[in-house]
Amino acid sequence: MFERIARYNEGTRPRLDVPQLHVKSKRISDGGGDRSLFSRQREFMNQILSPVVGHFGYDGTGSLSSSRSPSKDTLPVPPSSPDKQLDWDREALLELSDSIRASLRQDKTLGPDAQKLSEFLDAAWRHEDRRKRPALDLATIEYARLDKLLAEVLEFAEALKNCTDAGASRGSAVLDAPPLRFRVDVLNCESLGRIWRRRFRDRYFMIDQNRREALMTGGRLTEASFGDPLASGGGGARTKASDPISELEGNLQFEAGDWWLNIACARHDGIVNSSFETPTKGRYGITALPLLTGQEDIVGSNTYRYIREGKATDMHIPLISQVGRQIRVLRGYQLKSLLAPHAGVRYDGLFTIKQYGSKLDSRTGAYRLELVLERVAGQKRPLDELARQVPRPSQLDDWHAFTRLEGDRIKTLHGEAAYLWWVIRLHEDKADRDEWKRAQLFRASFS
């Protein structure tokens, strides 16, 4: 019943583009004063709904009860007074969007920021629907990925509905209905999506194209030039090289969890001095080691074995003199490791080289490198947390935009056939890495 009331409430709220008829309500006597019939009905419905959700009234107002009032530091939601110009914190909205989307993908829930999401949706719907000058502009929606947030919440709600319907059709145990607060959030997402599509029209459907252009003009690919992505030796996006950061400067400037689209972007920021998978030399020794390919095993608490096969020049021979010293380690998405990022290149903090070994396989003529690395204790973010949380959903959006740009470049230079071959190769490589990870997790379940 409450969901029908919420839907009726949504349909009866005033719209900006619909002229309102000002009809004087008939007054009826009620004890000591006169009140309109609609006012009495509205107060009655609010009394019914308030024990369930205190901040959703029958008339669509967003009043918060004192028992559920949020703390001031939960989310910088703008004031509800229509006389004040609203000021949304774009960074806070992006953080909220990333948190909700990550929880939906990993845990199939709204996560710890569900209350913040409800407060934002209530405030955004209220001010979009009632103000002559809505507070959220298209630039904020684009930057905070609010369009993708709405889409993923609605997709999650549809999946829940399908699971419930499928269970009911099979006669199995029926899942509990989603709570009223979640259903109100879904209605708010649907309403906001409709309002934004109507207000921005074609510009709303070009948001992803604008994000790709922003990558090149002021984003992660600033000062980048695209070569041939199919060329040997790494012909994708290249950036201007910066002077490598010294050991002390690097420890102060970079934090574990920093992320780049590729090793060329990391080179642009100065954490490495090459766009290839080679150690970076500093004034006092090796400062950074990118682990972009090869294989990595977990051998103990904060201890890892890195294995790489190839030619003699691929064996990172300068690392022999660095045993016992600390270096910065970066991991790439093509590395076969349970700790590798899903996309791009991630900085994982300081590690100590505990052991170096290299040998030649006489049968194949290939060299085999083995490095034992131990993560330095006392760093801010644990490595398992980095593996779960980085890259964030907004960073993955940039990654998909980057691969789209690379694909367009391949189509332009080589045609549709080469593009299709490139897409198939990407899917095969990903399937191979996923199969390796499943095998590792299966073996770990028996240990």
Side-chain angles (χ1 to χ4, degrees), residues 1-8 45 48-49 180 183:
M1 180 183 73
F2 293 146
E3 185 173 13
R4 292 200 301 271
I5 293 173
R7 290 185 180 276
Y8 171 76
M45 294 308 301
I48 293 177
L49 291 176
L180 177 61
R183 297 201 294 270

Side-chain angles (χ1 to χ4, degrees), residues 138 197 199-207 210:
L138 186 61
R197 288 191 295 270
R199 178 151 68 97
F200 300 113
R201 299 184 182 275
D202 58 327
R203 291 187 298 157
Y204 186 78
F205 298 97
M206 297 178 62
I207 287 183
N210 294 338

Side-chain angles (χ1 to χ4, degrees), residues 95-111 149 152 388-389 391-394:
E95 183 178 352
L96 172 65
S97 175
D98 279 339
S99 174
I100 298 297
R101 294 173 65 193
S103 297
L104 288 175
R105 297 177 183 184
Q106 298 174 4
D107 306 324
K108 306 303 180 184
T109 66
L110 295 180
L149 173 63
E152 293 191 23
R388 290 195 312 270
Q389 299 181 2
R392 303 188 304 271
S394 59

Side-chain angles (χ1 to χ4, degrees), residues 122-137:
D122 284 341
W125 193 97
R126 181 170 64 248
H127 293 287
E128 284 284 348
D129 194 61
R130 294 187 174 186
R131 291 177 60 89
K132 295 182 179 179
R133 297 179 60 186
L136 279 171
D137 56 10

